[in-house]
Amino acid sequence: MSALSNIILVALGILLTLASLWYGQNHHLLPESAAESAPLFDSLFNSTMTIATGIFLVVQGVLLYCIVRYRKRRNDQGDGDPNHGNVLLEIVWTAVPAVIILWLGLASLDVYQAVYGGADVGGHIHAAMAMESSHEAEAGDPSYAYTPAVLPGKDMGQPDLVVQVQGMQYAWMFTYPDSGLVASELHLPLNKRVRLDMTALDVNHAFWVPQFRLKQDVIPGRETHLEFVPTQLGQYPIICAELCGPYHGVMAGQLFVDTPEAFEQWQEEQILAAHPEGKAVALASESQPSSAFATAYQQRLGISPSELSSLRLHSGSLPSAG
Amino acid sequence: MTQLQDHPRLAVAPKVELELPAEPWWRFFTFSTDHKVIGIQYLVTTFFFYLVGGALATAVRAELATPEADFLGFERYNGAFTLHATIMIFLWIVPALTGGFGNYLVPLMIGARDMAFPKLNAVAFWLVPPSGILLLASLFIEAPAAGWTSYPPLSLISGKVGEELWILSILLAGTSSILAAVNFITTILKMRMPGMKMEDMPLFCWAMLAASVLTLIATPVLAGALILLSFDLLAGTAFFNPSGGGDPVVYQHMFWFYSHPAVYIMILPVFGMISEILPVHARKPIFAYKAIAYSSLAICFLGLIVWAHHMFTSGTPDWMRVFFMIATMAIAVPTGIKVFSWLATLWGGKIHFRSAMLFGLGFVSMFVIGGLSGIILASVPLDIHVHDTYFVVAHLHYVLFGGSVFGIYAGIYHWFPKMTGRMLNEFWGRVHFVLTFVGFNICFLPMHKLGLMGMPRRVAQYDPQFADLNWISSVGAFMLALSTLPFLVNAIYSWVAGPKAGDNPWQALTLEWTTSSPPPHHNFYGDPILLTGPYDYGLHSKETLDYFAAQLQTLRELALAEAEPTSS
Amino acid sequence: MQGSLASEMLMVGHSQAHAEHPDHRVFGILMFLVAEGCLFLGLFMAYLAYSLTAPIWPPEGTPERELLLPGINTVILLSSSFVIHKAGSAIKADDVKGLRLWFALTALMGAIFLAGQLYEYSNLEFGLTTNLFASTFYVLTGFHGLHVLAGLLFILAVLWRSFKPGHYSAQHHFGVEAAEIYWHFVDGVWVVLFILLYLL
């Protein structure tokens, strides 16, 4: 190999590294981050993107080089170089990906443990459910309610706030056990550790806030959890990320991160506006992205708005076990 | 084409008169037990389903061109994407690769007269049309609308008839692929011509072996899940219904125990075909034969123990998430070995840019992108954010379209002359490639960003902030739809009136090219002989190759002469 | 035309050559049983998942199951494996009469097993949809019962054919071998099933 080609190779290598590093930081592929753990995700994602960009450039570069350099020339009917293996090269391209993968695996594990702290994300069937297996509740009846029993998780300290989340076709419902408040939008105080105890009333849903980089399936008959600390004031979408029926796409809630004062105020307002029984129902219809679809759905199922609110009341009266 | 006919080696190739006639056209509509007839039956049938699935995909993208659900509407939209995925997986990619190419090529490549169990082979094929009819019927009766994953409890309440039709259709298709897998494993292990060791086999056979082992082990578990789902649906049991004490996550485990290996069932045969196509058109031996062969087996093994990476957000316990993350990432190693070996195969070659090779190179390029996004999906914390978003849709299409479908097209362009005896038109082949390649990337590249930014999959209506990228993506999809037209016209016209191909238009060295195009019933004239290894490009002088060709011709003459006297 | 005649002759020649190829059908049956085994394995794993994650298994209120009848049934089915093995040995010694005797005995034992199973079903205090355990119980035993029935029909078919003179011999007895392998498989599945459903 001549000195010149060595220099070219080294220059290409540097260029490639720089390009990968630059793209890894400047891909603009993620929304803003608004939770304590989101920057961890972002830095892992950025490193992965850096590596992926590097591999992408190497492979596509070699491919393009071969296409140009080793194209068949006119009038050449011969065969190529009959080289069919090189043990050293093969060892290298087995070992290098293995090392990269190992690093990425360990880094992922690190981030995973920092985000979830080895917390029990759920995945246990409710004890009560399994015992009540007499199969009397009819499938498809959205009014059957489960009695969630929170499972002890090895969590990272006690959360400042626990909210019970219920997913149903096609809405989210949030219960604040401390005040008994039931709301259709999720308000959270800034910089407080929050735990969501989630279950579904009918089919699988998934609770996703892209700005938090967090997602968790919400499954009927189980309780699953998410823990996080919101770190940015603002309004964020809560997206259902598990197919839950025809109107899955419009099942979106709103998440507000408020200052602690604003959060308290919101809670008080909601309680003031509560029903005489002392159960608070916040039906913030303007936060429903498309009430026309909700209406269409109600008509289809034959559920009247009053039934819907009584369902919410019923769920709100569940014993708080947080 | 001119360069082919001018080629000096063609001069010594056997002349057309030394061929036995091909199967008459009506044989393709019968219960034929000839593996070549069955292979073509599979390819044509599944291509029809590909067009149906493609039409559904176009409808889905038309719906998504604007943020409002204004084209199909919510309910029909769910039916459309459910049927699109089901048709593409169970009635196009799996049967086209294993049933179509596997059937046509494996016996020819190992010098066998037919598959080990020809009747079973025909039965396996004839299960596919009823399976397809059930699925297409559901389009007119009640479309299944719970996604191709069909997770309960949703699948239990979204329409009994459609769901049951879907289940029956997949049970039939699954039975078909299990029977085919029994046949492939037996054929590859037991029917190789005398003298051909495992390590003399073309790499496609290794890949088919690995894919068949996966089919044999994993498909029955899906059948089990679907049988239990049927009981829940029809008999009122509650295996997956939490209201009766059942557990929907058990279904997810059983479903993915098949459906993740299914990805490898859909990509391993393509790996095999690419390992055949690249050496032929780059005029070089495959680089690192053993590494490619054994990496297929490694992928087969690892493919069985990674299924729960589809369930990182399903409330799976910690140890499971960690184990499945590590196992999933490990697959990158054997996959990387293949990609690097293909690049090394090209390095120093003399690359002929025929349509087959264009699709082959396109495959390598696109599959790498799918592999890289796959690594992001393997990492638990990263997957949690992108799970069930358009990022996954982008990833799976880079693997299954940029990977499998590009591979299938490469295979069609490469083996069409062998299957039909006629050449496809090169110009229209290139047009097809460019349209497909450009359309594909316009359609699926933006989806990566859509998913990362917050667009979930399987929605008919979405946040208007995603409108621009979705519109671009839909334009790409329409271009993809359009790209099938030049191919269809080219294939139909060339099959009828294309220029004659001769035995070996690419000067390839695997056994299927030593017989006539199309090969006679029972494949070979006399007994097949191994004159060279499958990838000995550049290893033999022109004189040796001419000598081999002359030998083949003599053997064929002998075989024909032997047959003649008995006929008079 | 001559070409097509020649082709037919070649076909004849080849199909004769084909007949001399070693017989891979036994290997094929084994492969098929691997798939069948995975089907049962999947169902067993689902059962284990249910029983291990449930706080009480079988769920409260599941009536006690009688062990005597299934126990006897198990003994009958297991011994039938030895009986059918005798049949295999008989045909290898060219003893067609022995084959018939042992196959008839196996078929009888299989029929008794199925009858016992039906009797047990009719006396159970729970139905298919009583609870999750009941559902798994009926689906697993029922699915296995269908396999016993298929095996039984297979054995009867072989028995029927054995009355054609010269149909089975020491050299050619694929049907006998396949029926025997299948029967052993059905037996093996039952052992796992019995342990899972009755003993654990």
Side-chain angles (χ1 to χ4, degrees), chain A residues 117-177:
Chain A
D120 195 337
V121 291
H124 296 264
I125 299 171
H126 294 318
M129 278 296 309
M131 278 184 280
E132 271 177 38
S133 49
S134 52
H135 199 255
E136 268 148 19
E138 278 172 46
D141 175 5
S143 70
Y144 54 76
Y146 306 115
T147 46
V150 175
L151 294 147
K154 316 161 275 172
D155 48 14
M156 312 157 279
Q158 205 56 32
D160 301 310
L161 176 68
V162 175
V163 183
Q164 290 170 355
V165 179
Q166 278 162 314
M168 70 194 90
Q169 285 176 327
Y170 302 96
W172 295 103
M173 195 165 62
F174 307 99
T175 308
Y176 293 77

Side-chain angles (χ1 to χ4, degrees), chain A:
Chain A
M1 201 174 271
S2 72
L4 181 69
S5 66
N6 273 337
I7 292 169
I8 292 177
L9 265 183
V10 170
L12 275 176
I14 293 171
L15 213 65
L16 189 114
T17 315
L18 287 176
S20 311
L21 284 171
W22 182 82
Y23 189 70
Q25 301 299 323
N26 296 286
H27 48 70
H28 300 299
L29 289 172
L30 289 169
E32 59 175 319
S33 73
E36 194 184 57
S37 62
L40 288 173
F41 170 95
D42 290 5
S43 72
L44 178 65
F45 183 78
N46 291 352
S47 335
T48 313
M49 272 311 275
T50 307
I51 296 171
T53 309
I55 298 173
F56 174 84
L57 290 175
V58 169
V59 172
Q60 310 287 3
V62 171
L63 192 62
L64 275 177
Y65 179 79
C66 288
I67 286 173
V68 176
R69 170 79 175 73
Y70 299 114
R71 67 186 189 279
K72 184 192 83 78
R73 311 299 160 115
R74 204 177 289 274
N75 299 325
D76 184 354
Q77 296 297 344
D79 286 345
D81 159 32
N83 173 11
H84 54 78
N86 180 327
V87 177
L88 185 66
L89 201 57
E90 287 169 43
I91 290 173
V92 169
W93 70 45
T94 308
V96 171
V99 170
I100 293 177
I101 287 310
L102 197 65
W103 176 84
L104 190 62
L106 291 175
S108 301
L109 210 58
D110 256 12
V111 172
Y112 178 61
Q113 270 167 350
V115 176
Y116 291 87
D120 195 337
V121 291
H124 296 264
I125 299 171
H126 294 318
M129 278 296 309
M131 278 184 280
E132 271 177 38
S133 49
S134 52
H135 199 255
E136 268 148 19
E138 278 172 46
D141 175 5
S143 70
Y144 54 76
Y146 306 115
T147 46
V150 175
L151 294 147
K154 316 161 275 172
D155 48 14
M156 312 157 279
Q158 205 56 32
D160 301 310
L161 176 68
V162 175
V163 183
Q164 290 170 355
V165 179
Q166 278 162 314
M168 70 194 90
Q169 285 176 327
Y170 302 96
W172 295 103
M173 195 165 62
F174 307 99
T175 308
Y176 293 77
D178 294 340
S179 56
L181 181 68
V182 181
S184 68
E185 53 191 35
L186 181 59
H187 283 252
L188 298 174
L190 183 70
N191 290 330
K192 300 276 188 215
R193 177 161 291 279
V194 180
R195 190 180 76 213
L196 303 181
D197 295 342
M198 306 189 287
T199 192
L201 296 182
D202 36 41
V203 299
N204 293 354
H205 303 277
F207 180 98
W208 182 34
V209 180
Q211 286 77 5
F212 290 3
R213 318 280 192 263
L214 288 176
K215 185 183 290 130
Q216 175 59 52
D217 284 9
V218 181
I219 302 166
R222 288 184 176 218
E223 184 166 277
T224 52
H225 309 280
L226 265 185
E227 263 194 58
F228 53 86
V229 181
T231 53
Q232 291 272 326
L233 292 176
Q235 181 186 349
Y236 306 104
I238 298 168
I239 297 167
C240 176
E242 182 67 62
L243 177 65
C244 62
Y247 301 93
H248 163 57
V250 294
M251 177 172 170
Q254 297 297 322
L255 188 156
F256 295 87
V257 180
D258 301 333
T259 58
E261 300 76 47
F263 175 70
E264 284 306 318
Q265 199 191 342
W266 172 79
Q267 250 187 334
E268 274 164 32
E269 277 170 19
Q270 295 303 317
I271 290 165
L272 276 179
H275 288 241
E277 305 97 284
K279 305 290 180 204
V281 173
L283 288 168
S285 56
E286 72 280 356
S287 73
Q288 301 286 346
S290 179
S291 53
F293 294 117
T295 318
Y297 179 64
Q298 282 159 12
Q299 281 167 352
R300 202 173 61 93
L301 268 190
I303 300 177
S304 69
S306 63
E307 277 172 315
L308 199 65
S309 66
S310 78
L311 166 70
R312 289 174 186 204
L313 273 178
H314 173 59
S315 314
S317 64
L318 290 173
S320 63

Side-chain angles (χ1 to χ4, degrees), chain B residues 498-510:
Chain B
K500 295 267 184 196
D503 289 1
N504 192 359
W506 321 128
Q507 282 86 54
L509 293 178
T510 39

Side-chain angles (χ1 to χ4, degrees), chain B residues 419-488:
Chain B
M419 292 176 179
T420 64
R422 290 175 190 276
M423 303 297 293
L424 280 166
N425 182 291
E426 268 302 314
F427 173 76
W428 288 107
R430 281 169 200 189
V431 171
H432 175 215
F433 171 74
V434 172
L435 278 176
T436 310
F437 189 83
V438 175
F440 171 78
N441 280 297
I442 295 178
C443 182
F444 295 107
L445 199 61
M447 289 184 185
H448 290 108
K449 178 156 187 172
L450 282 173
L452 286 162
M453 293 298 289
M455 180 164 163
R457 66 192 285 204
R458 295 173 164 173
V459 294
Q461 175 178 327
Y462 53 85
D463 191 326
Q465 63 158 313
F466 302 126
D468 293 347
L469 284 176
N470 269 297
W471 190 81
I472 295 173
S473 173
S474 291
V475 170
F478 300 145
M479 194 165 163
L480 265 185
L482 209 68
S483 77
T484 41
L485 289 181
F487 172 76
L488 263 183

Side-chain angles (χ1 to χ4, degrees), chain B residues 180-532:
Chain B
V182 167
N183 224 334
F184 283 122
I185 296 176
T186 313
T187 307
I188 293 169
L189 293 182
K190 302 278 185 184
M191 301 275 288
R192 293 190 311 279
M193 60 180 281
M196 183 186 269
K197 295 190 292 294
M198 289 292 276
E199 288 183 358
D200 299 328
M201 286 195 309
L203 287 163
F204 178 70
C205 301
W206 280 99
M208 278 304 300
L209 182 64
S212 302
V213 170
L214 281 177
T215 308
L216 196 68
I217 293 175
T219 317
V221 178
L222 175 71
L226 295 183
I227 289 167
L228 295 184
L229 193 64
S230 279
F231 271 96
D232 277 8
L233 201 62
L234 303 177
T237 55
F239 293 110
F240 307 130
N241 190 344
S243 67
D247 185 355
V249 178
V250 170
Y251 173 85
Q252 298 182 12
H253 278 290
M254 294 178 86
F255 178 82
W256 287 114
F257 184 81
Y258 166 74
S259 294
H260 192 77
V263 176
Y264 298 106
I265 295 168
M266 291 186 274
I267 202 72
L268 277 168
V270 174
F271 288 168
M273 296 200 311
I274 294 300
S275 303
E276 301 303 323
I277 292 166
L278 295 190
V280 173
H281 300 278
R283 311 309 306 163
K284 262 199 71 190
I286 189 85
F287 195 91
Y289 172 95
K290 281 189 188 176
I292 295 183
Y294 294 140
S295 63
S296 288
L297 300 187
I299 290 173
C300 169
F301 170 72
L302 288 170
L304 284 169
I305 53 164
V306 297
W307 74 89
H309 68 216
H310 294 269
M311 301 164 57
F312 283 156
T313 67
S314 303
T316 25
D318 264 350
W319 68 266
M320 244 191 222
R321 292 181 177 196
V322 172
F323 171 80
F324 282 104
M325 169 171 80
I326 304 292
T328 305
M329 288 187 169
I331 290 196
V333 176
T335 314
I337 289 175
K338 282 183 192 288
V339 172
F340 297 132
S341 303
W342 291 327
L343 290 179
T345 302
L346 299 174
W347 192 276
K350 292 183 177 169
I351 303 173
H352 295 244
F353 295 105
R354 304 172 182 124
S355 307
M357 189 59 161
L358 291 178
F359 274 103
L361 297 170
F363 163 87
V364 176
S365 174
M366 294 299 97
F367 179 75
V368 165
I369 299 176
L372 291 172
S373 56
I375 288 176
I376 291 174
L377 287 166
S379 160
V380 177
L382 300 185
D383 176 76
I384 285 172
H385 176 58
V386 288
H387 176 75
D388 257 323
T389 68
Y390 260 85
F391 189 85
V392 175
V393 179
H395 162 74
L396 76 91
H397 283 95
Y398 269 87
V399 173
L400 290 183
F401 197 123
S404 302
V405 178
F406 272 55
I408 292 174
Y409 276 137
I412 293 176
Y413 280 101
H414 186 73
W415 281 289
F416 188 91
K418 182 51 61 184
M419 292 176 179
T420 64
R422 290 175 190 276
M423 303 297 293
L424 280 166
N425 182 291
E426 268 302 314
F427 173 76
W428 288 107
R430 281 169 200 189
V431 171
H432 175 215
F433 171 74
V434 172
L435 278 176
T436 310
F437 189 83
V438 175
F440 171 78
N441 280 297
I442 295 178
C443 182
F444 295 107
L445 199 61
M447 289 184 185
H448 290 108
K449 178 156 187 172
L450 282 173
L452 286 162
M453 293 298 289
M455 180 164 163
R457 66 192 285 204
R458 295 173 164 173
V459 294
Q461 175 178 327
Y462 53 85
D463 191 326
Q465 63 158 313
F466 302 126
D468 293 347
L469 284 176
N470 269 297
W471 190 81
I472 295 173
S473 173
S474 291
V475 170
F478 300 145
M479 194 165 163
L480 265 185
L482 209 68
S483 77
T484 41
L485 289 181
F487 172 76
L488 263 183
V489 174
N490 190 358
I492 293 169
Y493 176 81
S494 304
W495 203 333
V496 177
K500 295 267 184 196
D503 289 1
N504 192 359
W506 321 128
Q507 282 86 54
L509 293 178
T510 39
L511 274 177
E512 75 270 27
W513 301 102
T514 63
T515 184
S516 55
S517 305
H521 198 69
H522 287 136
N523 298 347
F524 298 100
Y525 298 86
D527 290 324
I529 43 165
L530 273 182
L531 292 171
T532 69

